[in-house]
Amino acid sequence: MRRADRLFQIVQHLRARRLTTAAQLAEFLSVSERTIYRDVRDLSLSGIPVKGEAGVGYCVDRSFELTALMFTREEVEAVVVGLRMVQAFGGPKLRAAAVPALDKVILALPKNRRAEVDRPQMYAPLFNAHRVVDNLIETLRAAIDGHAVLDLTYTDEQERETRRLVRPLALTFWGSVWTLGAWCDLRTGFRNFRLDRMRACVPTGAAFREEPGKTLADYMRAVGAE
């Protein structure tokens, strides 16, 4: 576990309980008590209101909010730029969700840091060319989430049309096109399908279960091998 993650867990653990000893924290996080003493000292020095002392126990006032301290300036920029990309290239639902998500990021920052949200000068302009696959993206997202088998009519580079039953696993955006990573029953293997070459995509009503050799993890390994 990264130290940053451990410190975060310590604060959350202390906020959720009245009193916790260093020994209990050490057991919970699988580290030594000496490590806990050092971590608690560093948290106190960073401004976290940790109460208590070694040998007695520690706690943090439950009214204390950690969210305002969680984002570095670079992390704020990463979130803002990422949300701008979602607004430009995501489907309708994700695009709509990006606005309230950014509002929550702003509210999570201290008032004196909220101007940082307007600082990133990296943009993802909205292009109508990507809107033609909007509805398809939503269909595929729902199918991936629900493990729905899809009846796919697909055209390859030579304009040859085939009809396939596929198990959708992942959507990938390559900067100019979206692709669907899926297990294809026709080819009995993993395939990537460009969304702009899909002529029809209809859920069959059947759901698939994860099987060894056909999972998302297997697909990722196959892509890496290629």
Side-chain angles (χ1 to χ4, degrees):
M1 181 188 298
R2 295 185 309 162
R3 185 163 188 261
D5 295 332
R6 187 175 71 245
L7 293 175
F8 177 78
Q9 288 201 26
I10 288 174
V11 175
Q12 295 296 71
H13 196 79
L14 293 179
R15 287 181 65 231
R17 291 160 179 80
R18 290 186 177 180
L19 201 65
T20 305
T21 65
Q24 290 171 328
L25 284 170
E27 181 179 2
F28 169 63
L29 295 167
S30 300
V31 296
S32 68
E33 289 186 39
R34 179 178 296 180
T35 297
I36 296 298
Y37 292 141
R38 185 174 62 248
D39 288 346
V40 169
R41 180 199 63 202
D42 291 345
L43 285 170
S44 296
L45 292 174
S46 69
I48 308 296
V50 179
K51 300 178 182 178
E53 59 183 353
V56 178
Y58 303 100
C59 68
V60 171
D61 192 322
R62 295 184 184 183
S63 65
F64 172 74
E65 293 293 338
L66 185 62
T67 52
L69 304 175
M70 286 178 62
F71 293 105
T72 65
R73 180 173 174 176
E74 288 74 19
E75 289 168 345
V76 170
E77 182 167 357
V79 171
V80 171
V81 173
L83 288 173
R84 286 175 179 171
M85 289 183 176
V86 169
Q87 286 181 295
F89 305 116
K93 290 185 179 180
L94 287 182
R95 192 157 56 243
V99 176
L102 184 57
D103 291 340
K104 291 177 181 178
V105 172
I106 294 171
L107 292 174
L109 293 169
K111 291 182 179 179
N112 64 339
R113 293 190 56 200
R114 291 179 183 177
E116 292 178 17
V117 171
D118 297 321
R119 239 176 234 148
Q121 300 302 308
M122 296 177 67
Y123 298 95
L126 304 179
F127 289 110
N128 290 331
H130 293 288
R131 296 294 178 266
V132 297
V133 296
D134 267 2
N135 293 333
L136 188 53
I137 287 175
E138 295 304 328
T139 297
L140 295 174
R141 284 183 59 234
I144 292 170
D145 187 54
H147 287 192
V149 177
L150 296 173
D151 184 346
L152 182 66
T153 303
Y154 190 74
T155 302
D156 65 15
E157 294 179 355
Q158 285 74 43
E159 297 297 323
R160 294 173 299 194
E161 189 174 281
T162 56
R163 188 173 176 182
R164 309 156 182 249
L165 292 179
V166 303
R167 302 181 178 200
L169 299 172
L171 281 166
T172 304
F173 181 61
W174 298 94
S176 57
V177 296
W178 281 95
T179 60
L180 172 71
W183 173 268
C184 176
D185 285 348
L186 178 65
R187 303 303 185 198
T188 61
F190 294 114
R191 291 293 185 274
N192 289 307
F193 301 98
R194 288 179 50 155
L195 270 61
D196 58 338
R197 291 180 182 166
M198 295 181 184
R199 297 296 172 258
C201 180
V202 182
T204 63
F208 64 90
R209 293 183 178 179
E210 290 194 350
E211 298 177 21
K214 299 180 181 180
T215 66
L216 175 60
D218 296 318
Y219 165 77
M220 298 301 286
R221 281 193 290 270
V223 171
E226 294 174 359

